[in-house]
C-alpha cells in the first residue's frame, strides 16, 4: 500500500530495483536489533500509484515493484522519493516522524515524498512498535540511511562529471558542482544504484544546525486522509470472497469446550459455518489462540448473532478459582512480608528503628485493559501452504513467526501486511487474533476476517498486572529521609510466556529499583504472585503502579515532615549526579539503552520538576476545594514532571482546572507530536487512575463493555493543559509512554491537597465515580 503524503503526485513510475553490491558492510547492519540500512535506487516507466487516499483495495499491488532485500529508500528517475516505513502507525504520527529523520539526511523536498508501509520482515530490523522505541532506538539508523543514500547519489554525480566528491554538494534533491553544474537525484539514480553502500564510518551526518525537518513541526502524512475516512484500518480490510468471523472464547484462561450445540446458530441468516477452535498448547498462553468456538458468516453482524445463539457447556479449567477480592488480599499480605531483595543500600531495618518518625503505607493498583479504540482485527487468505494476513498489529514480525509456528508452515510462507491501527497501547503487540484469522481461513477454505468486539477485548485481552505495594520510610528530627523500604508484588508479564511467579528485573526497573532518591538506607524487595489471566504490557508497563506508590509516598513523607511537597521532592532527589544503580546490587536494563549514552541524570530530573512547578505557579493560593499535586519520573529515557490542579465539590465530583507537564526527551524530532503524546499519555494515566479496574470472579472477567470498564470522557478533560519541551541536545528518549507514570500520583497528591483524603488504591474513585466525601480530612 502506498500512502499519499502532502500533495497529489504525478503518475507513479514503475519502480525497478537496481542491484547494490557490498551488502555486508558494517553500515548495512548495526547492533543487536538487526540494523538494516535498506537502500534502493530505481529506474522508471509510467504507472499510476496506489495512495492512502486512492487505495480502495486493502491488498497492495506490488507486482511491478521488486522490493528486493533491505529496502528503505527508492529514488525515481524524476527525483521523487519513496520511503518504506517499517513501524506501525497508530495515531502517534510515526510515519511523519520516520520521514523527517530519513528525508532530512537524504535532503529531498518534503512534498515529493511517498510512504510505503513495510510488511513484517526481519530485513527491516526491529519492527515492534512499542516501548517508545521508534525514535530513540532508530534515530541514528534512519538518519544514516538517508545520509548514505545522499552520499551515493553525490558520488554518482561526481563520477559523471569526473571530479572529486568533495567538490559537490546536495540540496533538496539537486547535486551541484563547484562550477555551477547541476544534476538531480533522478538523473543519477541508476548510476548510484551500481555503487557500493558506503561504510558507516565514511558517512557524514548533518550537524544539528543544518537540520531542515528534524526538530520542526511538519504536517501529518495521515491525519487529513484518516479524518475523511480514507485510511485502511485492520477492521476496514476487504478481500474478494471474504467471510467474517467472531469467536466465543472460553470465559476462563485455558478453559475448554465440554459440549456444543450449534443448531440455533446455524439457523441464523448469514451464518455459514461453526467450527471448534484449536486449543492452546502448553502451560503458558504466549501469543497462542485462546480456543473456543468460531462462528463464520457473510457479514460480521450475522456472525455475532450466531455466536449469541450458541449453546456451549464450558470446562472452566485451572483458573476457575481466581477471584479478585481474595487475590488482592493475598497480594497485600505478601507485600507486608520480606521478599527477595533487589536493591540494597545501607541498613534499612536499623535506620527505620532509629528514625525520629516512621511512616508506612500500602498501595494497590487493579488490573487494567488497554482498550484501544479499534479492537483487534485480522484478515487471512490462504493459497496452498502460503498465507497472507492483514492486521492492525504493532509487531508484524511476531505475527508472522507465530502464525508460521502454530499453522506449521515455513515463516517465508507467511506475509503480514500492516494496516493503520486505531490505537494499540501494547495490546496489538500480541498477535493472537492474527493466528485466529489464519487458523479459521485455512479451515473454511476462504479468506476470513476475524473481528474482536469490544466485549471480547475487555474480557479476553492481555491485562496489565494488578499490584500491591508496601512502603516504609524514616525521618530524622529535621525532616530528612533516613530510610526507605519498598516492597512490590504483582503477577509478571513473564508468566504469559513460561513459568514465572515473581516480577522480573526488567519490570522492577520500571519505577522500583530505578528510584533516584538520595537516601542513605534503601531496599526494594519483590514477592511472589501467580497469574490466573493473561498478563501483558500496557502503556508505560510497571511504571504505572510503581510510580503511583513511590511518588505518592514521597508526598506522604513531605506531609509528615511538614515540608512543601515540591521542595521536599527536590531535596529527596539530592545533588546533581549520574546514578549507577549497580552499586546497590540492581540489575538495571536502562530500557535496552547504553547507560553511557543515556545516564540517569538527576539534574535533568529536577529541571523538569522545577519547570512544571513554575508553569503551575506552585505555591499560589487556590480556592477552597482546590488542590495542587506534583510528581516526576524518568522512564523510557525521558524525564517528565506533571503538576495537576483539581477542584472537588461537596458531592465529591472532580474537575481539572489545569494540568502542566514538562518533558526532557533529549533531541525531539517532532515537537507538536511530542506535546500530543504528553497530553495523551497523561490523560491515559488519569483515566486509569480514576476509573480503571478489571476484576474477575471464578476466573471470569466481570467487566463487559464501557459501561463497566469506565474511561475518561471528553467533557472531563482539563480546562488548561500546557506542555513544555526542555531544550536538549542529548540523544532522543521516548515520548509515547513517559507522560503516563507521573499522572496518577500527581492526581492523588492533588486530591489530598484539596480534601485531606489520602487515596492509596487505584481506581481512586468509588461508586458513582465520586470521592467519598465522608472521608475528607482522613490522611
Amino acid at each position: 500500500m502506498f500512502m499519499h503524503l502532502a500533495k497529489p503526485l504525478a503518475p507513479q513510475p514503475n519502480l525497478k530495483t537496481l542491484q547494490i553490491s557490498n551488502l555486508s558492510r558494517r553500515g548495512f547492519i548495526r547492533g543487536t536489533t538487526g540494523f538494516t540500512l535498506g537502500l534502493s535506487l530505481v529506474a522508471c516507466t509510467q504507472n499510476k500509484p496506489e495512495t492512502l487516499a486512492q487505495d480502495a483495495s486493502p491488498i497492495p499491488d506490488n507486482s511491478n515493484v521488486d522490493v528486493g532485500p533491505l529496502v528503505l529508500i527508492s529514488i525515481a528517475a524524476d527525483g521523487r522519493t519513496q520511503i518504506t516505513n517499517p513501524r506501525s502507525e497508530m495515531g502517534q504520527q510515526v510515519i511523519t516522524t520516520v520521514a523527517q529523520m530519513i528525508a532530512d539526511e537524504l535532503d529531498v523536498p518534503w512534498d515529493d515524498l511517498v510512504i510505503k508501509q513495510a510488511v513484517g520482515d526481519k530485513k527491516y530490523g526491529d519492527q515492534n512498535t512499542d516501548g517508545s522505541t521508534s525514535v530513540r532506538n532508530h534515530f541514528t539508523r534512519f538518519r544514516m540511511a538517508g545520509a548514505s543514500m545522499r552520499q551515493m547519489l553525490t558520488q554518482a554525480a561526481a563520477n559523471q562529471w569526473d571530479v572529486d566528491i568533495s567538490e559537490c554538494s546536495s540540496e533538496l534533491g539537486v547535486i551541484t558542482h563547484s562550477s555551477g553544474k547541476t544534476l538531480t537525484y533522478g538523473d543519477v539514480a541508476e548510476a548510484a544504484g551500481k555503487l557500493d553502500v558506503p561504510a558507516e564510518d565514511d558517512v557524514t551526518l548533518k550537524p544539528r544546525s543544518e537540520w531542515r525537518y528534524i526538530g520542526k513541526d511538519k504536517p501529518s502524512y495521515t491525519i487529513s486522509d484518516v479524518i475523511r475516512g480514507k485510511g485502511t484500518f485492520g477492521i476496514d480490510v476487504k478481500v474478494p470472497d471474504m467471510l467474517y468471523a467472531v469467536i466465543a472464547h472460553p470465559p476462563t484462561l485455558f478453559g475448554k469446550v465440554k459440549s456444543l450445540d450449534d443448531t440455533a446458530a446455524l439457523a441464523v441468516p448469514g451464518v455459514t459455518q461453526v467450527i471448534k477452535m484449536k486449543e492452546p498448547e502448553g502451560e503458558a498462553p504466549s501469543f497462542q489462540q485462546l480456543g473456543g468456538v468460531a462462528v463464520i458468516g457473510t457479514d460480521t453482524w450475522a456472525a455475532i448473532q450466531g455466536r449469541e445463539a450458541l449453546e456451549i457447556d464450558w470446562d472452566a479449567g485451572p483458573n476457575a478459582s481466581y477471584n479478585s477480592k481474595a487475590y488482592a488480599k493475598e497480594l497485600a499480605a505478601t507485600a507486608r512480608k520480606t521478599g527477595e531483595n533487589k536493591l540494597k543500600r545501607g541498613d534499612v531495618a536499623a535506620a527505620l528503628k532509629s528514625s525520629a518518625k516512621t511512616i508506612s503505607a500500602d498501595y494497590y493498583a487493579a488490573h487494567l485493559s488497554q482498550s484501544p479504540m479499534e479492537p483487534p482485527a485480522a484478515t487471512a487468505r490462504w493459497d496452498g501452504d502460503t498465507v497472507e494476513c492483514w492486521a492492525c498489529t504493532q509487531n508484524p514480525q511476531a505475527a508472522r513467526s507465530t502464525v508460521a509456528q502454530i499453522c506449521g508452515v515455513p515463516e517465508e510462507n507467511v506475509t503480514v501486511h500492516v494496516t493503520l491501527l486505531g490505537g494499540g497501547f501494547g495490546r496489538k503487540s500480541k498477535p493472537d487474533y492474527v493466528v485466529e484469522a489464519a487458523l479459521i481461513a485455512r479451515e473454511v477454505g476462504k479468506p476470513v476476517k476475524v473481528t474482536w468486539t469490544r466485549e471480547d477485548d475487555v474480557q479476553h485481552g492481555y491485562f496489565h498486572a494488578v499490584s500491591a505495594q508496601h512502603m516504609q520510610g524514616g525521618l530524622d528530627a529535621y525532616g530528612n529521609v533516613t530510610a526507605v523500604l519498598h516492597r512490590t508484588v504483582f503477577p509478571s508479564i513473564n508468566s504469559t510466556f513460561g513459568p514465572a511467579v515473581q516480577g522480573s528485573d526488567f519490570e522492577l526497573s520500571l519505577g522500583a529499583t530505578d528510584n533516584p532518591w538520595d537516601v542513605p538506607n534503601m531496599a526494594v524487595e519483590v514477592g511472589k504472585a501467580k497469574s490466573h489471566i493473561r498478563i501483558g504490557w500496557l502503556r508505560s508497563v510497571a511504571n504505572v503502579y510503581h510510580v503511583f506508590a513511590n511518588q505518592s509516598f514521597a508526598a506522604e513523607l513531605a506531609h509528615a515532615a511538614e515540608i512543601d511537597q515540591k521542595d521536599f521532592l527536590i531535596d529527596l532527589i539530592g545533588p546533581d549526579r549520574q546514578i549507577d544503580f549497580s552499586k546497590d546490587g540492581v540489575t538495571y536494563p536502562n530500557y535496552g539503552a547504553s547507560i553511557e549514552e543515556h545516564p540517569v541524570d538527576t539534574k535533568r530530573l529536577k529541571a523538569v520538576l522545577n519547570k512544571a512547578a513554575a508553569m503551575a505557579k506552585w505555591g499560589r493560593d487556590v480556592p477552597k476545594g482546590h488542590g495542587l499535586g506534583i510528581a516526576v519520573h524518568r522512564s523510557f529515557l525521558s524525564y517528565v514532571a506533571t503538576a495537576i490542579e483539581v477542584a472537588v465539590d461537596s458531592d465529591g465530583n472532580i474537575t481539572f482546572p489545569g494540568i502542566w507537564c514538562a518533558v526532557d526527551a533529549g533531541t525531539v524530532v517532532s515537537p507538536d507530536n511530542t506535546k500530543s503524546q504528553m497530553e495523551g499519555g497523561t490523560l491515559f494515566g488519569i483515566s486509569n487512575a480514576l476509573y480503571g479496574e478489571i476484576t474477575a470472579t471464578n476466573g471470569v472477567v466481570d467487566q463487559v463493555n464501557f459501561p463497566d470498564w469506565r474511561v475518561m470522557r471528553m467533557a472531563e478533560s482539563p480546562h488548561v493543559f500546557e506542555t513544555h519541551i526542555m531544550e536538549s541536545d542529548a540523544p532522543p528518549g521516548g515520548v509515547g509512554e513517559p507522560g503516563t507514570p507521573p499522572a496518577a500520583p500527581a492526581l492523588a497528591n492533588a486530591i489530598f491537597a484539596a480534601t485531606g483524603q489520602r487515596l492509596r488504591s487505584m481506581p481512586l474513585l468509588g461508586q458513582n465515580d465520586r470521592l467519598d466525601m465522608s472521608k475528607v480530612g482522613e490522611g
Side-chain angles (χ1 to χ4, degrees):
M1 179 175 66
F2 289 92
M3 298 186 178
H4 182 200
L5 313 179
K7 70 176 186 180
L9 301 177
Q12 174 70 26
N14 178 28
L15 303 178
K16 179 182 177 183
T17 303
L18 298 172
Q19 295 299 316
I20 302 175
S21 60
N22 194 26
L23 299 186
S24 62
R25 284 189 181 270
R26 189 162 57 88
F28 235 104
I29 299 176
R30 180 177 183 268
T32 58
T33 58
F35 169 164
T36 302
L37 172 57
L39 304 175
S40 172
L41 298 153
V42 297
C44 311
T45 59
Q46 295 299 309
N47 189 39
K48 187 175 178 58
E50 288 191 72
T51 68
L52 184 62
Q54 299 165 336
D55 184 13
S57 168
I59 308 174
D61 179 11
N62 291 329
S63 59
N64 62 346
V65 182
D66 178 14
V67 295
L70 309 172
V71 175
L72 287 180
I73 306 169
S74 298
I75 306 291
D78 61 3
R80 286 171 300 155
T81 302
Q82 175 184 291
I83 293 173
T84 298
N85 170 47
R87 315 296 290 170
S88 295
E89 176 62 69
M90 58 192 107
Q92 84 281 37
Q93 304 307 309
V94 73
I95 286 177
T96 304
T97 305
V98 168
Q100 286 178 265
M101 292 183 279
I102 293 177
D104 203 319
E105 290 291 347
L106 181 56
D107 210 348
V108 291
W110 184 256
D111 290 346
D112 288 352
L113 294 175
V114 173
I115 299 294
K116 175 178 175 288
Q117 181 64 46
V119 298
D121 198 309
K122 293 176 182 177
K123 68 187 178 186
Y124 294 115
D126 174 29
Q127 290 181 267
N128 187 15
T129 311
D130 63 10
S132 301
T133 57
S134 290
V135 173
R136 69 179 178 90
N137 279 8
H138 302 281
F139 182 65
T140 300
R141 170 196 175 193
F142 289 143
R143 292 179 62 210
M144 187 62 68
S148 297
M149 179 70 89
R150 170 169 45 87
Q151 183 165 316
M152 293 169 71
L153 292 160
T154 306
Q155 183 65 62
N159 293 347
Q160 184 168 326
W161 289 324
D162 194 23
V163 300
D164 191 88
I165 192 173
S166 63
E167 299 175 26
C168 305
S169 61
S170 64
E171 184 173 12
L172 292 178
V174 177
I175 303 158
T176 303
H177 182 249
S178 56
S179 66
K181 294 183 293 186
T182 62
L183 288 168
T184 68
Y185 282 2
D187 293 334
V188 296
E190 184 171 355
K194 299 175 182 178
L195 300 177
D196 290 350
V197 177
E200 184 176 322
D201 291 344
D202 297 332
V203 176
T204 301
L205 297 174
K206 287 183 179 182
R208 187 178 296 262
S209 60
E210 294 182 11
W211 287 348
R212 187 185 302 274
Y213 306 132
I214 296 171
K216 312 295 194 300
D217 288 325
K218 302 301 295 181
S220 168
Y221 278 157
T222 56
I223 288 177
S224 61
D225 282 328
V226 167
I227 62 177
R228 290 171 174 81
K230 297 178 180 179
T232 299
F233 292 82
I235 206 164
D236 298 325
V237 171
K238 292 182 180 179
V239 299
D241 300 320
M242 185 175 77
L243 295 172
Y244 301 77
V246 296
I247 300 168
H249 295 106
T252 58
L253 179 60
F254 290 119
K256 297 179 180 180
V257 176
K258 285 173 60 177
S259 65
L260 167 66
D261 184 348
D262 59 7
T263 306
L266 289 170
V268 172
V271 171
T272 61
Q273 196 170 348
V274 174
I275 63 173
K276 185 177 177 182
M277 292 292 295
K278 176 182 172 68
E279 294 175 351
E281 299 177 355
E283 297 182 359
S286 188
F287 294 150
Q288 298 182 82
Q289 71 290 344
L290 281 170
V293 179
V295 179
I296 300 94
T298 55
D299 56 65
T300 302
W301 181 246
I304 290 173
Q305 294 303 299
R307 182 173 67 175
E308 292 295 317
L310 290 173
E311 294 184 15
I312 305 174
D313 185 17
W314 297 99
D315 177 350
N319 295 295
S321 63
Y322 182 46
N323 289 282
S324 292
K325 289 183 179 180
Y327 190 73
K329 292 178 181 178
E330 292 175 14
L331 291 181
T334 303
R336 296 188 190 100
K337 300 175 183 177
T338 301
E340 181 180 347
N341 185 273
K342 291 293 184 176
L343 180 154
K344 182 175 175 58
R345 182 190 309 156
D347 188 335
V348 170
L352 286 172
K353 191 173 183 178
S354 63
S355 295
K357 182 183 291 187
T358 58
I359 301 94
S360 67
D362 295 296
Y363 299 91
Y364 176 80
H367 282 299
L368 300 172
S369 168
Q370 297 90 354
S371 57
M373 183 177 293
E374 174 201 31
T379 301
R381 178 176 64 186
W382 286 86
D383 182 4
D385 64 349
T386 65
V387 60
E388 274 190 289
C389 303
W390 293 263
C392 46
T393 175
Q394 293 176 246
N395 194 349
Q397 289 182 32
R400 187 187 194 199
S401 62
T402 307
V403 167
Q405 178 185 358
I406 293 176
C407 292
V409 298
E411 193 168 311
E412 57 267 25
N413 288 18
V414 181
T415 300
V416 175
H417 301 283
V418 182
T419 67
L420 296 174
L421 285 69
F425 312 119
R427 171 59 183 99
K428 293 174 183 174
S429 292
K430 298 92 171 171
D432 54 324
Y433 55 101
V434 189
V435 172
E436 291 176 334
L439 288 170
I440 297 170
R442 184 165 65 176
E443 178 74 15
V444 304
K446 286 188 175 183
V448 172
K449 176 163 69 177
V450 167
T451 298
W452 280 47
T453 63
R454 178 62 60 197
E455 291 85 353
D456 295 327
D457 181 49
V458 170
Q459 293 200 300
H460 301 291
Y462 289 80
F463 300 100
H464 191 253
V466 60
S467 170
Q469 296 170 81
H470 175 73
M471 299 200 71
Q472 296 180 35
L475 298 171
D476 65 17
Y478 303 100
N480 300 306
V481 180
T482 58
V484 170
L485 171 65
H486 184 176
R487 290 185 182 139
T488 179
V489 187
F490 54 92
S492 175
I493 289 169
N494 286 352
S495 65
T496 295
F497 304 99
V501 294
Q502 184 172 289
S504 66
D505 288 336
F506 171 71
E507 290 162 301
L508 291 165
S509 75
L510 309 180
T513 55
D514 61 342
N515 191 322
W517 298 349
D518 184 30
V519 176
N521 304 283
M522 183 180 289
V524 174
E525 298 172 1
V526 61
K528 297 184 184 300
K530 180 178 172 60
S531 65
H532 297 279
I533 58 178
R534 296 194 296 183
I535 303 298
W537 48 99
L538 167 145
R539 194 176 197 170
S540 84
V541 205
N543 286 298
V544 169
Y545 42 81
H546 285 148
V547 179
F548 171 62
N550 68 40
Q551 288 292 294
S552 294
F553 193 61
E556 296 205 44
L557 291 169
H559 181 72
E562 300 180 358
I563 299 173
D564 174 82
Q565 180 193 153
K566 189 271 292 185
D567 294 340
F568 185 88
L569 197 49
I570 289 288
D571 290 339
L572 189 58
I573 295 169
D576 295 350
R577 67 198 188 283
Q578 295 182 352
I579 301 175
D580 180 1
F581 293 115
S582 66
K583 291 182 178 180
D584 296 322
V586 174
T587 300
Y588 185 60
N590 198 32
Y591 296 90
S594 162
I595 197 69
E596 288 75 27
E597 292 184 15
H598 292 274
V600 180
D601 191 334
T602 60
K603 182 178 181 180
R604 295 172 70 184
L605 190 67
K606 290 185 294 182
V608 294
L609 179 58
N610 281 322
K611 182 61 180 179
M615 294 165 67
K617 297 180 173 59
W618 188 267
R620 60 185 162 91
D621 291 333
V622 295
K624 183 179 179 181
H626 287 228
L628 284 167
I630 200 164
V632 64
H633 185 57
R634 174 191 184 267
S635 66
F636 303 92
L637 312 180
S638 293
Y639 304 78
V640 177
T642 303
I644 295 177
E645 181 178 354
V646 299
V648 184
D649 68 18
S650 58
D651 294 323
N653 297 301
I654 296 177
T655 55
F656 296 91
I659 298 177
W660 300 269
C661 177
V663 54
D664 180 349
T667 297
V668 169
V669 173
S670 177
D672 187 56
N673 290 334
T674 296
K675 290 180 179 179
S676 295
Q677 288 298 303
M678 290 301 111
E679 293 170 3
T682 299
L683 295 179
F684 186 88
I686 290 174
S687 179
N688 284 329
L690 289 173
Y691 311 116
E693 184 177 29
I694 293 291
T695 59
T697 302
N698 298 327
V700 181
V701 171
D702 299 314
Q703 290 70 30
V704 177
N705 204 317
F706 284 131
D708 309 314
W709 167 251
R710 173 82 152 86
V711 296
M712 197 173 186
R713 302 185 178 114
M714 292 178 66
E716 297 172 298
S717 60
H719 303 162
V720 173
F721 198 128
E722 296 178 1
T723 299
H724 176 81
I725 300 172
M726 309 291 282
E727 291 291 330
S728 176
D729 59 4
V735 299
E737 296 171 86
T740 298
L747 172 58
N749 295 337
I751 291 172
F752 176 78
T755 67
Q757 185 178 167
R758 187 68 72 181
L759 302 177
R760 302 186 180 98
S761 181
M762 293 195 293
L764 302 177
L765 298 186
Q767 293 183 344
N768 302 316
D769 299 333
R770 296 175 180 176
L771 284 178
D772 183 353
M773 298 306 287
S774 68
K775 297 181 180 179
V776 168
E778 294 184 10

